[in-house]
Amino acid sequence: MVSQVQRHPLAAQAAELLLNRIRDGEWPLGHRIPGETTLAAQLGVGRSTVREAIRELAGRGVVESRQGAGVFVTALDTAEDWDVVLRRATIATVVEARIAIESEAAALAADRRTPADLREIRRTLAARGVEGRSIPNHVDADMAFHRAVIAAAHNEVLLGLFDAFLPRLRAAMIDMLKIAPVASAAADHDCHRELADAITARSAAAASAASRTHLSTLRETFS
């Protein structure tokens, strides 16, 4: 039996009921949902309420209204806010995502880097190698280097994903280094230099491997 709306606000409840039906697979991805008259009868509300509910789901990216064709399912659930996802994620999970993003970004950077990109990579590499600074300052310098590499890939989606990770990652790195400093700062810096050298040499395979090796080691620290 189809559930009906019982309380106000009607439109919000109608939207939630429709979303639950989409989640349950009643209307697959790309499928046209019933018209306003049908849905209004099923939910026990007016057509204007259904219209508002569909507008809400469209704003959340779940459905799309196509003029003359109807309303179609464009997502099977609403996307959670990145901040919520990252607060809940373990740092090892975040580092795994970084491996996927940065190893590909490093390869792209090797192919696409400009002279200005190389100058920024070298500048941030030198800055992260400065000794005697506080842990937060070292972490900020390290993040700046990694961001410079991703920026050199000239892919705004990859850069945006990295920027979303930064607050969660920065806090975890600071906490980790306070408890367990890097065994060899020199060896760690050499790994970053190898990445910069591979990008300079336009070796996509070497750049990707250097990034993956470094971050895989970091993941093990948090596992």
Side-chain angles (χ1 to χ4, degrees):
M1 180 176 178
V2 177
S3 299
Q4 293 192 340
V5 175
Q6 300 297 325
R7 300 181 300 277
H8 294 285
L10 293 178
Q13 290 185 69
E16 197 60 31
L17 288 173
L18 293 175
L19 178 58
N20 286 338
R21 293 168 71 176
I22 291 171
R23 287 170 174 155
D24 291 342
E26 183 173 344
W27 303 308
L29 191 65
H31 191 86
R32 181 182 181 277
I33 69 174
E36 290 177 4
T37 301
T38 300
L39 291 176
Q42 291 177 350
L43 298 175
V45 299
R47 289 180 59 187
S48 61
T49 299
V50 171
R51 194 176 303 121
E52 187 176 343
I54 289 174
R55 189 179 301 117
E56 179 180 331
L57 291 179
R60 294 160 72 180
V62 177
V63 300
E64 178 183 74
S65 181
R66 300 172 187 169
Q67 189 171 10
V71 178
F72 294 81
V73 177
T74 53
L76 300 181
D77 204 345
T78 55
E80 286 191 90
D81 184 86
W82 265 113
D83 289 341
V84 175
V85 173
L86 291 174
R87 279 198 300 271
R88 189 172 61 239
T90 65
I91 192 60
T93 300
V94 173
V95 174
E96 286 176 355
R98 280 189 67 192
I99 292 172
I101 292 168
E102 294 190 49
S103 61
E104 177 63 19
L108 292 174
D111 288 332
R112 300 174 178 176
R113 91 291 190 280
T114 66
D117 292 328
L118 288 182
R119 286 193 295 271
E120 183 63 9
I121 289 172
R122 291 297 178 185
R123 185 192 69 78
T124 54
L125 177 66
R128 82 170 301 282
V130 174
E131 298 180 0
R133 60 179 17 151
S134 68
I135 289 176
N137 286 342
H138 172 73
V139 170
D140 287 342
D142 181 66
M143 294 296 99
F145 169 79
H146 286 280
R147 191 181 192 282
V149 169
I150 297 173
H154 295 278
N155 183 307
E156 61 184 13
V157 176
L158 292 177
L159 188 59
L161 287 171
F162 180 78
D163 284 345
F165 292 155
L166 269 181
R168 176 80 170 92
L169 184 64
R170 180 181 186 275
M173 289 296 296
I174 290 171
D175 289 344
M176 183 199 75
L177 290 175
K178 286 179 178 178
I179 297 171
V182 174
S184 172
D188 180 61
H189 193 63
D190 284 343
C191 290
H192 290 76
R193 183 180 293 108
E194 288 175 8
L195 173 55
D197 288 344
I199 292 172
T200 301
R202 291 194 183 279
S203 176
S208 179
S211 177
R212 181 175 293 276
T213 297
H214 162 63
L215 290 172
S216 293
T217 300
L218 180 63
R219 178 185 58 189
E220 292 172 6
T221 303
F222 287 107
S223 298

